[in-house]
Amino acid sequence: MGWKSRLQEITNSKPLFLTIYATVIIGIVFSSFYVFSAVYSGSSSSSSPSWWLPRSSSREAPISTQQPTVGEVLAPAQQAQSESLQPIWEVPPPGSKMPPLKTFRLTKELFQQRVRDNVVVVTFGNYAFMDFILTWVKHLTDIGVDNLIVGAMDTKLLEALYWKGVPVFDMGSHMSTIDVGWGSPTFHKMGREKVMLIDAVLPFGYELLMCDTDMVWLKNPLPYLARFAEADVLTSTDQVIPTVSDDRLDIWQQVGGAYNIGIFHWRPTDSAKKLAKEWKDMLLADDKIWDQNGFNELVHRQLGPSVDDDSGLVYAYDGKLKLGLLPASIFCSGHTYFVQAMYQQLRLQPYAVHTTFQYAGTEGKRHRLREGMVFYDPPEYYDSPGGFLTFKPSIPKSLLLDGGHDLESHFSLVNFQIKQIRTALAIASLLKRTLVMPPLWCRLDRLWFSHPGVLVGTMTRQPFLCPLDHVFEVNTMLKELPEEEFGPSINIREYSFFDNPAVPRQVKESWLDVQLCQAGSLNCNVSTSTSRPGVLKLPKLSSEETLKTVFSSFKDVKVIQFSTMQDAFLGFTDKKKEEKFRNRVKRYVGIWCCVENHTPGHVYYDMYWDEKPGWKPSPPQTREDDHPPW
């Protein structure tokens, strides 16, 4: 007998109070049935570390005018979600033990703990990228995004993240903890792991914002991505020429750069799942295929037509997948952010920067992010024990602006700066101080293929502030070289160092300005007393002994700033010391690339260009000439 007929029978055969009583009882039964249904359909057991898990694993019900009927089991998209996720950076209680490794296995239940609005943000890596990962996480938490989790490719990283309070899962990769070079077999293994991860997670039913660790988030991207709810996949690109001047998706017909898989957003649609599976199968069948090339090949299998007139989406892959290309002006590559500063010129706020179009390996990536003041280093990085040395670069206007922007004018400008930096490195070595590099100006862009100096159609200004790795081998500068052959190491910092809020007050306020003067002129002597507080007059072309003697009285001063490095140093007295220094710093400069219609087309920078009369920038003429100038 149905509930309705039973209620009618009671009402007709009993007094009014029995009717009311029965109605109340029935209401309680219905309510209980609904509550238990909702609870058991939305909760699940999890073996994940309990200290960072949210109180509930269910989702927040969307606002709707249509109420569910009594006793209806809610669909996953309608289940209630906890008000907040467990805070990130909340470390395990003192004295607690590391949970078993199986606790961190990739499961739907594990991922569900970090989902908000059905979206989870993911990166992955090995222990060598620990600082990148912490930077990535901190940027997201700083902008209020906490629905994130990190895939650990080795146990060392997994344990380190766990003890720092960062949500982590085990990718089961059993990978080495050391750095992997771009293009190496291990690098390609990492790419395959990414694809297998996407293929594994999409069936969970969550939207997946997948990111490489060598990028940072500058603005919450989730509201932007939600604007394109019809998209199956949204991906960043290597596009360097703007196709839009606002925050619309890039115009797919005008994008010639590769689709870059360092930042892309997947929705768990049938077409997206199909793409992920075929992509995974392709890579597993042929280990010579680069993951990004495989993705581009598949999505270009069919590209077009547009989905509609307004969204910017395009049909791709199987003709059903809806693809969107994130604008390169605000989902920035290393070129559109660090070289073109496209977002500044278009007056836009960037969402992200990815350290592509970059040289000098992982160290170069760190330095790029440090130049942009978006990399998080430990406090000791900002207060070197020996103090810092810096100088005001002096560049004649003619070297920056006069004449055409060509190979001759570019090298004249850069070489003028190299000579000053060489002197600064020598003085930093003598005084055992960390050199804060000056901003470096270039006239020509650097790429890995021939080009006319600046790519046509880009927003690159001439001259422009170029990243240090355009000229210097940052990885060599930061590498430990044998002291018996190369002399003592010389630490460096990025040009923006003193603008970084992380530099403590005691460093910024402990400052000595050194003004060069002509020896014998009024108030120009080698006395260690200063002409006025915080200012020291120093004769030009001071010797090694003079520099050591004068600045021995200022060891407690955190920052010594020279007014110029031109004619600041006479040279090393000890010839063996000078030879070791030369062995070191001549390896610090790299190449400019590349001259058109010439093979090879690169031109070597030379730290001691001024010692070679008639030196001209020209590419090697023969194979025998193709080597660094040392």
Side-chain angles (χ1 to χ4, degrees):
M1 182 181 294
W3 284 104
K4 185 175 180 181
S5 59
R6 178 61 179 160
L7 182 60
Q8 185 66 43
E9 177 183 328
I10 293 173
T11 302
N12 294 336
S13 61
K14 303 292 180 180
L16 179 60
F17 78 91
L18 287 178
T19 303
I20 298 173
Y21 179 78
T23 303
V24 171
I25 294 298
I26 293 169
I28 292 173
V29 171
F30 271 121
S31 298
S32 300
F33 181 68
Y34 163 70
V35 169
F36 279 105
S37 297
V39 169
Y40 283 103
S41 65
S43 63
S44 58
S45 62
S46 173
S47 58
S48 303
S50 60
W51 60 268
W52 61 258
L53 293 180
R55 295 193 185 99
S56 170
S57 59
S58 53
R59 296 192 67 254
E60 183 176 6
I63 298 173
S64 174
T65 56
Q66 181 177 358
Q67 298 296 323
T69 58
V70 176
E72 178 185 0
V73 178
L74 299 183
Q78 294 175 285
Q79 293 167 13
Q81 180 177 342
S82 60
E83 293 182 0
S84 62
L85 302 179
Q86 182 72 18
I88 297 174
W89 308 116
E90 188 173 287
V91 300
S96 60
K97 294 183 179 180
M98 180 79 186
L101 191 60
K102 64 180 181 180
T103 305
F104 302 92
R105 288 175 182 164
L106 172 61
T107 63
K108 179 177 181 180
E109 290 74 21
L110 179 70
F111 260 62
Q112 192 173 30
Q113 311 310 314
R114 300 313 305 178
V115 169
R116 187 188 299 283
D117 297 329
N118 210 46
V119 179
V120 62
V121 190
V122 179
T123 193
F124 67 99
N126 68 343
Y127 187 77
F129 290 87
M130 174 76 169
D131 52 351
F132 282 93
I133 290 169
L134 293 177
T135 293
W136 183 87
V137 174
K138 188 169 190 324
H139 272 282
L140 282 173
T141 55
D142 283 352
I143 59 179
V145 177
D146 59 357
N147 49 323
L148 63 89
I149 192 168
V150 177
M153 304 187 77
D154 60 73
T155 305
K156 188 175 180 180
L157 174 66
L158 189 148
E159 292 178 350
L161 293 178
Y162 171 81
W163 290 113
K164 286 187 176 293
V166 175
V168 60
F169 68 95
D170 181 14
M171 293 186 66
S173 306
H174 307 294
M175 188 175 171
S176 168
T177 60
I178 63 174
D179 191 5
V180 297
W182 192 96
S184 67
T186 308
F187 174 86
H188 288 293
K189 172 179 168 58
M190 290 182 72
R192 281 162 172 71
E193 294 277 354
K194 175 198 293 186
V195 181
M196 288 188 285
L197 177 60
I198 295 170
D199 180 62
V201 171
L202 285 182
F204 295 167
Y206 307 131
E207 296 182 29
L208 178 65
L209 177 52
M210 175 64 72
C211 324
D212 286 352
T213 57
D214 61 340
M215 60 79 58
V216 296
W217 291 104
L218 306 173
K219 183 180 177 182
N220 185 353
L222 300 182
Y224 181 90
L225 300 174
R227 285 169 47 185
F228 307 98
E230 294 299 313
D232 298 303
V233 177
L234 294 163
T235 182
S236 60
T237 74
D238 288 336
Q239 180 72 9
V240 294
I241 300 172
T243 70
V244 293
S245 59
D246 51 23
D247 68 348
R248 290 174 296 159
L249 294 177
D250 265 332
I251 300 172
W252 65 270
Q253 297 96 329
Q254 299 179 22
V255 172
Y259 300 167
N260 190 291
I261 60 174
I263 305 171
F264 57 171
H265 184 260
W266 293 69
R267 289 193 171 90
T269 61
D270 289 341
S271 288
K273 293 175 187 176
K274 180 182 175 184
L275 170 60
K277 184 179 185 308
E278 185 171 355
W279 188 18
K280 179 195 71 174
D281 293 343
M282 168 194 282
L283 297 180
L284 293 179
D286 187 350
D287 60 7
K288 294 182 176 59
I289 299 176
W290 181 27
D291 55 345
Q292 182 165 291
N293 288 349
F295 177 81
N296 276 267
E297 179 182 330
L298 289 174
V299 295
H300 280 88
R301 180 183 293 168
Q302 176 177 332
L303 191 64
S306 296
V307 172
D308 52 49
D309 294 333
D310 302 316
S311 68
L313 300 177
V314 58
Y315 286 110
Y317 173 52
D318 59 357
K320 298 178 182 178
L321 184 126
K322 298 173 184 178
L323 177 71
L325 307 182
L326 298 171
S329 57
I330 49 180
F331 290 84
C332 308
S333 67
H335 198 279
T336 61
Y337 189 89
F338 293 107
V339 176
Q340 296 188 56
M342 189 186 290
Y343 70 95
Q344 289 182 345
Q345 298 194 65
L346 294 176
R347 301 294 188 268
L348 300 172
Q349 288 188 328
Y351 283 91
V353 54
H354 186 195
T355 52
T356 54
F357 291 87
Q358 171 273 330
Y359 312 94
T362 303
E363 294 291 0
K365 292 176 181 288
R366 283 191 184 90
H367 199 84
R368 283 276 187 106
L369 296 174
R370 285 167 174 162
E371 286 182 332
M373 295 187 291
V374 292
F375 196 81
Y376 292 106
D377 282 292
E380 55 268 25
Y381 180 84
Y382 302 100
D383 191 0
S384 177
F388 301 96
L389 176 73
T390 184
F391 69 97
K392 295 179 179 179
S394 51
I395 305 174
K397 172 179 170 292
S398 59
L399 287 178
L400 284 165
L401 302 174
D402 288 2
H405 297 288
D406 53 30
L407 209 58
E408 293 279 347
S409 63
H410 169 75
F411 270 83
S412 295
L413 171 61
V414 173
N415 282 347
F416 187 83
Q417 297 170 89
I418 285 177
K419 186 177 179 180
Q420 295 179 58
I421 292 170
R422 185 182 76 201
T423 301
L425 287 166
I427 296 176
S429 178
L430 286 174
L431 303 183
K432 296 181 173 56
R433 286 181 173 265
T434 296
L435 176 62
V436 178
M437 298 296 287
L440 191 64
W441 289 91
C442 294
R443 282 189 175 227
L444 301 184
D445 196 358
R446 175 182 177 177
L447 294 158
W448 53 91
F449 51 84
S450 61
H451 61 95
V454 165
L455 293 178
V456 177
T458 63
M459 300 182 73
T460 306
R461 293 167 288 192
Q462 292 178 285
F464 66 96
L465 192 63
C466 57
L468 189 67
D469 59 67
H470 270 212
V471 175
F472 286 84
E473 296 291 317
V474 177
N475 52 336
T476 302
M477 299 179 83
L478 299 176
K479 185 179 180 181
E480 289 292 332
L481 298 174
E483 191 167 334
E484 59 272 15
E485 184 179 355
F486 300 102
S489 61
I490 309 168
N491 292 326
I492 64 167
R493 295 290 186 268
E494 61 280 4
Y495 75 86
S496 58
F497 182 78
F498 293 118
D499 294 325
N500 197 316
V503 176
R505 178 181 296 180
Q506 67 265 24
V507 171
K508 293 182 177 181
E509 292 182 352
S510 180
W511 199 281
L512 177 67
D513 280 315
V514 179
Q515 298 179 355
L516 298 187
C517 55
Q518 194 64 45
S521 63
L522 185 63
N523 296 326
C524 187
N525 54 62
V526 294
S527 170
T528 57
S529 61
T530 58
S531 57
R532 64 179 185 270
V535 179
L536 174 71
K537 295 283 188 178
L538 183 73
K540 293 180 179 181
L541 298 175
S542 290
S543 66
E544 178 181 342
E545 292 75 15
T546 297
L547 290 172
K548 286 182 176 180
T549 301
V550 170
F551 291 105
S552 64
S553 300
F554 298 100
K555 287 184 177 180
D556 293 334
V557 175
K558 294 289 187 180
V559 183
I560 294 175
Q561 177 178 260
F562 276 64
S563 59
T564 179
M565 278 295 165
Q566 292 190 73
D567 300 325
F569 181 41
L570 183 61
F572 290 95
T573 304
D574 186 331
K575 295 305 177 185
K576 287 187 177 180
K577 184 184 294 184
E578 180 181 14
E579 182 181 355
K580 291 179 181 179
F581 174 79
R582 292 172 73 97
N583 281 344
R584 173 179 289 277
V585 300
K586 65 187 179 183
R587 290 169 168 79
Y588 279 9
V589 289
I591 62 169
W592 178 85
C593 194
C594 291
V595 175
E596 292 184 294
N597 303 317
H598 195 286
T599 303
H602 52 261
V603 181
Y604 288 96
Y605 290 105
D606 190 340
M607 184 67 86
Y608 289 93
W609 62 273
D610 54 318
E611 296 180 359
K612 300 173 181 177
W615 186 93
K616 296 289 184 184
S618 58
Q621 300 303 306
T622 65
R623 288 183 177 272
E624 291 72 25
D625 295 331
D626 189 7
H627 59 80
W630 37 271

